[in-house]
Amino acid sequence: MLKRPLLVKKTEIGGLIRDFRLLTGLTQEQFGAYLGVTYGTINRWENERSQPSPIAMQLIGQKLGEVGEQGQELLAKYFSIP
């Protein structure tokens, strides 16, 4: 489990969320349920109208770690650990 906060450039959060959702093969509604948020929240994140909270980003990082090598590639592409 990652204990330090994960940082991603604000301009890339929408891409990260979309890439992760497509990787899992889920709709926005299904992906929201997977993360414990609403469809509208996923939609706003993907369209960069709002930002995930630090807790949501931690959960996203953990979930990425659970989906295997492709998840690790997304972690490396989008996240930096201070």
Side-chain angles (χ1 to χ4, degrees), residues 43-80:
N43 186 275
R44 285 187 297 275
W45 289 351
E46 284 189 6
N47 292 299
E48 298 181 2
R49 291 190 305 259
S50 69
Q51 304 289 314
S53 69
I55 292 171
M57 290 303 295
Q58 181 93 15
L59 178 60
I60 290 166
Q62 289 173 354
K63 295 288 188 182
L64 275 168
E66 295 172 4
V67 294
E69 186 176 323
Q70 291 175 315
Q72 294 299 320
E73 289 172 6
L74 285 179
L75 275 170
K77 177 178 178 181
Y78 286 104
F79 286 99
S80 62

Side-chain angles (χ1 to χ4, degrees), residues 2-27:
L2 299 169
K3 296 185 185 213
R4 289 183 261 160
L6 297 170
L7 302 175
V8 64
K9 293 179 183 176
K10 289 183 180 182
T11 58
E12 296 181 350
I13 290 175
L16 164 66
I17 301 300
R18 184 172 289 110
D19 285 352
F20 187 17
R21 182 174 62 79
L22 294 174
L23 171 66
T24 59
L26 301 174
T27 65

